[in-house]
Structures are given as structure tokens and as C-alpha cells.
Amino acid sequence: MTGNRVQALLDEMRDHQPDHFAIVLRVREIVLQAGPSISEEVKYGGILFSACTPFCGVFSYAGHVTLEFSQGAALPDTHGVLLGQGKLRRHIKLFSVSDIEDRHVTHYVAAARQAADA
């Protein structure tokens, strides 16, 4: 059932936001490769990823995609790309597929996954 909801969200995005679809698809691939036992579900209008606990989510907005980290304030911001001033969460704004590499998404996903497992 969860997989069907994720696929339905992706299908809708592919049809109506093709630029965002490419970003979300690549980010999703990176997150799912970050380790074993990662689950995904549609929540809050995007895809929320969990290991032992939820650790990140990818969300499409009108002008960009965000990769949001549940405990992002505790992550070391090695590359200076985390945005937000909240007590817990931080995010990375993505405007194109090339931003995924330029903003070191794989690094931050791995750090968030590792923190979720701790």
C-alpha cells in the first residue's frame, strides 16, 4: 500500500512537474541506497524516509525541491548548505539535478542516516 502511494505521487509529479520529478527521483535513489532497511511513505505531501526513526524527506514546492532532515540541526554542516533556523530541522533547496552533486546531498543523507541509527 505504501509503495502504491509513493508511486502515485511520483506519477503525478512526472506528469505535472517533470523538472522536479527528475530531482526527486535522483534524491530518492540516493536515500534508498544509504543503507539497509530504509522505508518510505507519503507524508506531509512528500516522501518521508525512515530507518530506525524518520531521518529525511523530499518535498516538491512551486519553485524548488527540498530535502529536509528531521534532526538536521545536529548534523555537521561541512559544506555550508543546510538552511533553516528551527530547533531541529534543516533542509537543502534543490533547483536542478546538478544541485544534488553541487550541494553534496549524498554526504548529508549518509550523515543523517548514521545519526538516525545511533
Side-chain angles (χ1 to χ4, degrees):
M1 179 79 148
T2 299
N4 291 339
R5 291 190 67 210
V6 170
Q7 191 58 54
L9 179 69
L10 292 171
D11 291 344
E12 177 78 12
M13 194 178 301
R14 181 191 62 229
D15 294 342
H16 298 286
Q17 296 178 299
D19 293 342
H20 290 188
F21 173 71
I23 297 167
V24 169
L25 208 58
R26 179 65 185 123
V27 169
R28 180 176 176 249
E29 179 180 282
I30 290 168
V31 174
L32 293 175
Q33 291 176 352
S37 304
I38 295 175
S39 63
E40 61 183 348
E41 65 178 313
V42 174
K43 200 165 192 175
Y44 312 118
I47 303 171
L48 184 67
F49 300 95
S50 300
C52 295
T53 60
F55 66 97
C56 72
V58 64
F59 303 87
S60 177
Y61 295 98
H64 64 279
V65 171
T66 62
L67 174 59
E68 301 186 12
F69 298 99
S70 303
Q71 300 295 319
L75 295 176
D77 192 6
T78 310
H79 301 286
V81 298
L82 293 177
L83 302 171
Q85 300 298 317
K87 202 159 112 176
L88 298 175
R89 299 177 65 86
R90 295 290 182 272
H91 65 276
I92 299 173
K93 281 188 181 180
L94 304 167
F95 297 93
S96 68
V97 173
S98 65
D99 285 344
I100 295 168
E101 184 176 335
D102 294 345
R103 297 190 178 150
H104 309 277
V105 164
T106 302
H107 166 82
Y108 288 96
V109 167
R113 169 61 202 265
Q114 186 176 9
D117 288 345

